[in-house]
Structures are given as C-alpha cells and as structure tokens.
Amino acid sequence: MKENKTMRETIYWTVYNNDSGGPTQQLLLFSSSVRAGFPSPATDYASDPVDLNTYFTRNPAATFLVRVEGDSMINAHIDNDDLVVVDKSLRAVSGNIVLAFVAGEFTIKRFVLKPDGAYLEPENPKYESIKVSSPEMGQVWGVVVGVVRKFDKDHKHDNTFRIS
Amino acid sequence: MTTRFALVDCSSFYASCERVFRPELEGKPVVVLSNNDGCIIARSNEAKNLGIKMGAPYFQLRDFMEKQGVAVFSSNYELYGDMSRRVTNVLLQFTPNLEVYSIDESFMDFSHLKEEDVISHSKQLRERVLQWTGIPVSVGVGPTKTLAKVANRLAKKKAADEGVMVLTNTSDIEAALEQTEVRDVWGIGRQHAARLQAIGVGNARQFRDLPADWVKKNMAVTGLRTVLELRGSSCINLEADEVPAKKNICTSRSFGQPISTLSEIEEALSTHTVRCSTKLRRQESYAGAITVFLLTNRFAKDASSDYYSSKSARLPAASNSETQLLRYANALLKQMFRKGERYVKVGVVLSELVPAEQVQLDIFSVENTEKQDKLMMTLDNLRQRFGHAAVKYAVQGEEKNSKWAMKHEHLSQCYTTRFEQLLRAR
C-alpha cells in the first residue's frame, strides 16, 4: 500500500544543473506531517505503540494460535474458548504446558517427565492424566507460551465488519 | 571469489502443509487437487509410490484413491501462502541473501560459509525449518545455481532423514552430473532435451562437455549459460528480492459447472475484475487496456462455435479504478456472450500497465481521479482488514452456492490466517 500522500508532506530541494539549466536531481530534505505552528516536541522520540503481537510472540515464524475446547486446563487459567499461543520452535521440558497430538486428537496438557515415562496431565481433577509410553502414541507439537482471552464473548470470533 | 549457492526445496509442499495440522497423515498417502478439484497437483511420497501421476484427473482416480485410503485435499492457497512465508522467514535467519524462487523453493547465497561448515549448516537449516514450521525440506548446495538444483534433486533421492547434498569437489560433481538426465537440468526445455537426446547427449555431464560454440549456435546464450553453470562458473545471480512489476495481470477461474446465463457470468467476471484491480493497485500500476476472455466447453460434442473468444478495449486514460474497470469488463462480456452456449471459464486481463508515478492524467478529470484514488485506497484498506468479501458490488452476486464458485469439496481450514478456522484442542 502506498502511503497516503495527502497525510504527509515531503519537501524536496531541487538541484539544477548549471550547464543545461534543467533540474537534474531532487534531494529529500524533510518528510513529516507539516502543520502551521510549533513542531511537535515528540518528533525526536517517535516510537511505535506497544504491540500485543510482539508481547506474545517471540518467534512469529513458529507461532500458531489454537482455540481451546473444554475445561481440562482450568486450574492453569486456560478456559473454554480461550486462545492459546503455541511456539513450535521450543522443545518441551518437564513442567511445560504443551499442545500435543495424542490418539488422533490435539490436546493441551501439562507435560511431565516421570521415572516411568512421559505424562500429559490435565489441570482439572475431573480429568485423568495420559501416559505416553511410545512416540507412536503421541507427540508434542509445540509449547504453549501464553493465553489470550476476551471478556466480550460475542465478539470473540469476530473479524468481520459490523455496523451497530 | 568462489561462489556457493543452496537451493532449499520443500518436500511435497502442499501435502506437507496439510500434514502439519493433521499429524495422523504422517506416513500416509496425501494428494492435493487443482482449482475446481480438477486434477492432482501435489502428492506425498506415499501417493507417488501408489503410482498416482502428476496432473491425473481426479474423477478417474477417485475410487482407486478411496480404496487405498489416500487423503484428498482441495488446494488451500491461503494456508500454503502463509506456511511458505513462515519457511522463508526461518531461512532468512541463515542469510539475508535469499531469492524466493517459487512458493516452495528458495535459492540462498552460501558463499560466506567455510567449506567444512557447509554440510552442518545445511543440516541445521533443515532441522530448524522442520522443527519450527513442520515442513520438511531438502537442501542442495553447489558452486552455481544450476549445480545447486542438480544437488537438490539428488538430495531428495537420498534417505529421507538426510535430505542434504553438497557438491564441492570435481569428482562429486562429475558423479552427480552422470546421474542427472539432461532433461532434468534447470533451464533445459523439453524441445532442447529431445534434440540433445537425438544427438546422443543423455546426461548432464555429456551436455556440459559439448563445445561452447555448438551450444551457443544451437541453444542461444541461455543454453551456453547453463553449460557454463554446469562447469562451475556462476552466471546466474540471485534475483533482487523485489518481484519486478508484472506487465500483464490476469485473474480467471473455471466455473464450478458450465453456465449459460449472462447474469451468472457477470457475477463471476465482476468478482475477478475486482480481484484483478486489487492486484493492479498492490503493484502500484495503472492499466491502459482491458481484455475479457470467455471459454466454452472444449470437450462438448455439440460445440458449435469457437472454444475461446476474447475482446479488448483501450481505456481513455490509464486507470486503477475498479468501478471503471467493472463497467468496461461487463460491456465487453455483453458483446461476446451468445445465448445457448455453455461457458466454462471467464477471465480478465489488465495490460499496458504504467507505474503510478508515470501516469498521464486525464486533464479533464483530475478531480475525479483524486476522488477515485481515495475511494480505492479506502476499499483496499477495508479488504485488507476484513477480508476480500467485506466490500462488494451488487453485480458480484453471492459467491457461495453459485454455479460459478469454484468447487473445493475437500478444502482444509485456513488454520493460520482466519480466527474462525484455527486449530482446536481439548
């Protein structure tokens, strides 16, 4: 997308070639919003506003969002319909909450290594932990690094334009 | 200075993308179909081993594939595009000197690496792409781009867990060229390959050793360049990252089923025109001319007339306004449309493109042009934020459930680009 020209002013210094008399080159002198009155004292301190993307994702190429179904991780503050942020570049260590693929399904559980094998443990006494005794039974897909929740449930899935 | 290039190629890319989100398909045959579920355009190794051919019509293989338990997907370019971008971003960590050659291939400049580090570097790259994105890649390295391509082909044939082939010393290159048929050399077209075959040049080594004069005379400079590249002197550099602006922009789609009514074709054409003019504005160009083409069913027995018809119009002044382009497109369509014909495809081509900064303004409508520019910018922004269907013209109709909408009965979710289609987990 080209920048909106009407929003910005660009000032050029046109250099003339003395031999031909024609303009040969334009030098960019200044490019900023130009207003009458004092220039903003903040210009020298310009910075982008904080961005939730950078807060949640250290590694965008390996980051995936996953929608949570059910309450098996409720005691880890992961609720039904939340989004979890999954970083696929991280290798799970014992104690991490992970996205795993077990018995043909994706599941979010705490990954715990015990002397007798790897476990996927829920954070809700209603559910049982799953013992993963071989790689064929299941695999860790990525490590959950954050959870995103909106309180306004109606707009949770919303990415269409609404006129109210 | 000695040069060194790597070609990184995603293995069965479309099928691999589908597998990332369907891990149960690991080790199982997977195919992906072309637009409209027409024919097979991507196969996992398991599908190749079943003898499923590239380009085979889907309807012919449907029963066979069902029996064999082949997972079938409609092409989901939204997903593949995003996964491709992710792979590229991982590759960029290894070197910024990278050329995205296609959706599943990138050339990288490895000249800076010490010779003894090349293999470990390539293996590390391969592991990282797989770990971070789930996409398996093969890496071929050689002193020129053409030799990197040769190496990559051989890397793919090696055991699946290696996937790396580095060609540095003369004897390795010699052996690699012996194993490569001349028609598989990058830049050798089918006609040249047949011709070379006829004079007894079957493999890439024989081709490399032809006299330069003969090659230049018979295969022009491009052929000579390929020979020199095979000899190890680099003639083809990495292309600059910016894709050169296209000279023509085309958008066309086959209909889900044949159509005989004008209004339905208008809906499809209008939708294509809006998409096409969006592409036009994205590359910051204006179009000087517009062409509409219309295809009837080539295979129908009663095909009474030409299978392909097209009409063009020159615009009074170069334009990027979709409202204007829509008027022209639909007027051209009306001139071509014949009752009783069964049409299977419509498309629009924008040509005589001029970069935005060189546009000759129509002096009688400068004000109008500015208004249009603002409107188009607003539309582009809205569509970027809310999706392409966010702002539509009445003439585009409702794509869903229409006859012209593409058939994609086996479409997977856009797991990474749409909130409502994210992966779900319990």
Side-chain angles (χ1 to χ4, degrees):
Chain A
M1 220 26 261
K2 201 156 195 168
E3 216 160 348
N4 188 340
K5 282 180 200 154
T6 60
M7 298 289 287
R8 289 180 79 90
E9 288 291 332
T10 306
I11 297 178
Y12 289 99
W13 182 266
T14 306
V15 179
Y16 287 89
N17 180 328
N18 288 330
D19 299 332
S20 66
T24 56
Q25 198 184 354
Q26 289 195 314
L27 295 180
L28 178 66
L29 276 192
F30 190 72
S31 175
S32 151
S33 296
V34 175
R35 287 162 198 264
F38 286 108
S40 163
T43 314
D44 288 347
Y45 303 93
S47 179
D48 290 329
V50 290
D51 179 356
L52 279 175
N53 274 321
T54 61
Y55 182 69
F56 278 103
T57 61
R58 226 180 29 174
N59 185 351
T63 300
F64 298 82
L65 290 179
V66 176
R67 181 77 66 187
V68 178
E69 286 181 336
D71 58 357
S72 72
M73 292 299 281
I74 192 74
N75 290 342
H77 313 288
I78 298 174
D79 203 350
N80 183 43
D81 232 13
D82 284 351
L83 289 179
V84 289
V85 182
V86 176
D87 188 334
K88 202 168 162 26
S89 70
L90 302 173
R91 294 196 191 266
V93 297
S94 188
N96 284 162
I97 295 172
V98 300
L99 175 71
F101 190 76
V102 182
E105 271 191 15
F106 279 106
T107 184
I108 294 160
K109 296 288 177 290
R110 197 178 291 280
F111 173 72
V112 182
L113 280 173
K114 292 183 180 174
D116 64 329
Y119 286 82
L120 292 169
E121 298 190 334
E123 289 278 356
N124 183 338
K126 282 194 328 201
Y127 299 83
E128 285 182 12
S129 35
I130 309 162
K131 186 178 177 188
V132 185
S133 40
S134 71
E136 293 80 55
M137 268 188 71
Q139 48 176 303
V140 172
W141 197 92
V143 174
V144 174
V145 296
V147 57
V148 190
R149 177 175 314 148
K150 270 168 96 171
F151 293 135
D152 183 356
K153 297 278 181 191
D154 285 347
H155 288 71
K156 193 154 249 182
H157 301 276
D158 203 4
N159 64 347
T160 55
F161 191 56
R162 239 170 243 248
I163 300 162
S164 47
Chain B
M1 198 193 94
T2 50
T3 53
R4 195 181 292 110
F5 293 94
L7 176 70
V8 179
D9 183 52
C10 302
S11 322
S12 314
F13 180 57
Y14 298 169
S16 296
C17 289
E18 301 290 354
R19 271 183 178 158
V20 172
F21 303 93
R22 296 278 304 276
E24 75 274 21
L25 296 176
E26 207 53 59
K28 304 245 165 68
V30 177
V31 301
V32 178
L33 306 174
S34 61
N35 280 341
N36 261 324
D37 293 347
C39 48
I40 288 156
I41 53 163
R43 308 158 296 161
S44 71
N45 277 331
E46 298 78 7
K48 286 176 198 168
N49 292 340
L50 285 173
I52 296 170
K53 295 271 176 286
M54 193 73 172
Y58 172 47
F59 73 93
Q60 281 180 4
L61 289 176
R62 188 193 300 243
D63 294 342
F64 170 76
M65 293 199 294
E66 205 169 313
K67 259 183 226 144
Q68 298 287 338
V70 180
V72 177
F73 291 95
S74 304
S75 35
N76 183 346
Y77 290 111
E78 197 169 320
L79 176 67
Y80 311 152
D82 182 65
M83 293 305 287
S84 170
R85 197 158 51 228
R86 287 169 184 265
V87 171
T88 306
N89 283 334
V90 181
L91 297 181
L92 280 169
Q93 297 193 326
F94 287 82
T95 171
N97 300 325
L98 174 147
E99 172 193 344
V100 176
Y101 182 65
S102 71
I103 192 167
D104 58 357
E105 285 173 291
S106 288
F107 282 109
M108 299 171 77
D109 189 345
F110 271 13
S111 306
H112 61 288
L113 293 178
K114 284 196 208 130
E115 190 173 329
E116 60 268 30
D117 294 339
V118 175
I119 291 186
S120 62
H121 197 77
S122 304
K123 283 189 176 161
Q124 195 196 349
L125 179 151
R126 194 172 174 268
E127 269 162 39
R128 191 176 296 176
V129 174
L130 183 64
Q131 167 81 26
W132 289 22
T133 67
I135 303 290
V137 298
S138 55
V139 186
V141 182
T144 66
K145 281 168 95 175
T146 308
L147 284 169
K149 271 269 193 187
V150 168
N152 190 284
R153 273 186 60 86
L154 296 172
K156 264 184 236 143
K157 287 187 185 165
K158 287 207 324 192
D161 57 347
E162 287 186 56
V164 171
M165 177 80 176
V166 178
L167 297 178
T168 22
N169 63 54
T170 326
S171 61
D172 286 350
I173 295 177
E174 198 81 1
L177 294 182
E178 297 259 353
Q179 289 174 58
T180 305
E181 287 189 52
V182 73
R183 62 157 187 243
D184 293 330
V185 173
W186 187 45
I188 301 290
R190 208 182 304 167
Q191 282 185 342
H192 279 311
R195 206 154 143 220
L196 289 165
Q197 212 96 42
I199 60 161
V201 175
N203 67 40
R205 194 198 47 81
Q206 293 167 315
F207 175 57
R208 180 201 64 184
D209 294 341
L210 285 174
D213 293 345
W214 186 92
V215 177
K216 194 177 174 187
K217 194 170 149 226
N218 290 281
M219 298 173 69
V221 185
T222 49
L224 182 62
R225 215 170 49 177
T226 304
V227 164
L228 292 174
E229 284 246 321
L230 289 175
R231 290 177 186 174
S233 63
S234 175
C235 311
I236 309 172
N237 292 324
L238 289 188
E239 304 258 336
D241 6 327
E242 277 197 28
V243 189
K246 287 192 183 157
K247 298 206 176 86
N248 288 308
I249 306 180
C250 172
T251 303
S252 72
R253 298 267 189 288
S254 297
F255 304 140
Q257 49 184 292
I259 295 181
S260 314
T261 47
L262 179 62
S263 65
E264 284 174 305
I265 302 174
E266 273 174 348
E267 289 180 13
L269 176 63
S270 303
T271 302
H272 301 341
T273 306
V274 169
R275 275 192 188 266
C276 201
S277 50
T278 305
K279 286 192 247 175
L280 177 76
R281 293 191 296 273
R282 199 176 298 147
Q283 70 164 47
E284 294 177 14
S285 300
Y286 283 62
I290 179 170
T291 302
V292 172
F293 63 89
L294 197 54
L295 272 68
T296 60
N297 193 346
R298 161 169 37 174
F299 302 112
K301 282 190 191 121
D302 55 347
S304 51
S305 52
D306 291 341
Y307 136 79
Y308 177 95
S309 51
S310 77
K311 269 202 187 309
S312 304
R314 177 152 306 177
L315 301 164
S319 170
N320 72 355
S321 153
E322 61 192 36
T323 52
Q324 189 180 16
L325 295 168
L326 275 171
R327 271 202 303 280
Y328 276 86
N330 284 311
L332 291 170
L333 172 67
K334 280 199 186 87
Q335 290 177 29
M336 267 186 291
F337 177 82
R338 277 188 301 263
K339 264 195 175 156
E341 205 75 72
R342 286 158 63 78
Y343 293 103
V344 295
K345 184 176 188 171
V346 70
V348 60
V349 184
L350 300 176
S351 53
E352 297 184 17
L353 304 189
V354 234
E357 61 272 16
Q358 291 170 24
V359 169
Q360 306 263 327
L361 284 182
D362 182 352
I363 52 161
F364 300 108
S365 61
V366 174
E367 202 179 324
N368 195 12
T369 310
E370 275 176 15
K371 260 191 207 161
Q372 279 289 334
D373 276 349
K374 266 188 204 163
L375 175 62
M376 290 308 128
M377 196 142 49
T378 310
L379 289 177
D380 288 338
N381 282 333
L382 279 172
R383 291 192 185 120
Q384 202 163 16
R385 276 182 66 188
F386 302 110
H388 217 268
V391 194
K392 297 206 305 184
Y393 299 84
V395 65
Q396 287 179 254
E398 193 64 53
E399 181 161 1
K400 231 183 187 171
N401 302 326
S402 74
K403 275 197 211 166
W404 56 269
M406 269 201 303
K407 221 193 304 179
H408 33 52
E409 287 168 357
H410 308 280
L411 193 62
S412 56
Q413 288 154 251
C414 297
Y415 299 102
T416 59
T417 51
R418 300 197 190 195
F419 273 108
E420 72 280 9
Q421 296 186 19
L422 296 174
L423 205 61
R424 292 176 165 271
R426 298 194 162 273

